[in-house]
Amino acid sequence: MSLDKLQQRYEAAGQGHLLKFWDNLSEEERTKFASQLEALNVERVNRIYQKAVSAEQEAADPTKQAEAIGPLPKEASESVNDADKVQEWRRVGIAAIARGEVGVLLMAGGQGTRLGSSAPKGCYDIGLPSHKPLFQYQAERIARLQEVAAQEAGKPAGSVVVPWYIMTSGPTRPETEAFFKHNKYFGLDPANVIFFEQGTLPCLTMEGKILLDSPSHVAVAPDGNGGLYAATRSPLSPNDPNTTVLSDLSKRNILYVHAYCVDNCLVRVADPVFLGYSITKKADCAAKVVPKTQPTESVGVVACRGDKFSVVEYSEISKEQAERREPETGELAFRAGNIANHFYTTAFLNKVEAFEEELAFHIARKKIPHVSDNGEFVKPSKPNGMKLELFVFDVFPFTERFSVLEVDRSEEFSPLKNAPGTGSDDPETSRRDLLAQHRRFLENAGAKVAEGVEIEISPLVSYAGEGLESVKGKTFTKSGTVNDVVELDVLV
């Protein structure tokens, strides 16, 4: 695109100020800047800004009747308390995995900044005896599940594949890919580990003007975990503009996708129970939730806003609503704690583009370093602009058939959010919860584990407690790491 055309386009969009320093740029800077501006859909940025601002104003308008917030209808939610149902859901899920109909989508764009690490969060070692990082645990769960599905379906070993789509951010992609290469993809076939990148949006002034972070570069920020949907339509790499996550899912005939966040050490990747539940319910989108621990727990809950499903933030629920209980069971009415763990049909993922313009991005007002009108670099001391984000659950109101599965927090959710030593959602609690689960695996298989003994069971040995029948009647008195079921004998 010529400079004239570029100027006309940006002037028409009210963003002509971006070219203010053009005359002072070197040829190399001009080339790079022109490509960034050409690639940027500036008209879409303006539409997103207008929609975000008007949605925020509408929500704050006291004269507008807010949609009533209500708990989930009973028919929309089930739990894993019924063993017979769980067994049937698992059977359906394992069959879908064995037929090659399931893919996994990992949201892994974050860095471990709060943990004192600049590396991608998935590289983090939570202090297990094996020192396996989060990425390795998840990779080994996929490997074990592929093996279990092949065995149960009577298929040859190695014939079942669950492709793993890993969404990084711009800053974390090179290091994430290098980490996987260095570790030989943790035993998975590299052809089935697909990296792609979360999108970005320009940072804006409070009035919607795009900011520069240098005279030749637009300041950008990740577009939130809800950027996942647009990212599945973007080219996997500049060298291959025709291949996207959606096109790859289609080529592999994947019908169902499990999506989750990297920081949960207990995540059941491609959980056959959740998959089977969602398939049985004919859901186009589903959410796995955990019960809130108490009315005041500050977590978003999956609930209804009007007649649509939504995630309702804790601050939006009144004290009376938060404390309301079901008359029959005594359980909290608003208890479905959101853990960013979702099921989609690929058909639904392909439909998102059609309603994406209706989604209102959320405004985060931030201190954004930028270049001022006179070309000076400014580091503000108070919020001066906004970043726009979409959340992964913003699509819930647009689903036709939505279902919720409530699971046991101690078995499935232990997030890593805080610095070591915080006392909650930190590396120590993640380590504690994972090793406590491995103790339960052994005890549920009929073994005893002596007080103070810590046994770490590789996911390659057991995905969710299966395959440990040989420990029945044994008492384990020694701590250790187990990479093969026969290694348990030395810990007796």
Side-chain angles (χ1 to χ4, degrees), residues 76-90:
S77 174
E78 293 204 48
S79 81
V80 291
N81 293 336
D82 185 326
D84 291 339
K85 280 186 176 179
V86 167
Q87 198 171 353
E88 175 57 17
W89 294 333
R90 183 185 178 281

Side-chain angles (χ1 to χ4, degrees), residues 427-446:
E428 292 83 7
T429 58
S430 292
R431 179 189 192 278
R432 176 200 71 198
D433 293 347
L434 191 56
L435 292 175
Q437 182 182 65
H438 292 181
R439 170 183 281 264
R440 287 193 297 275
F441 284 175
L442 294 168
E443 290 171 345
N444 293 342

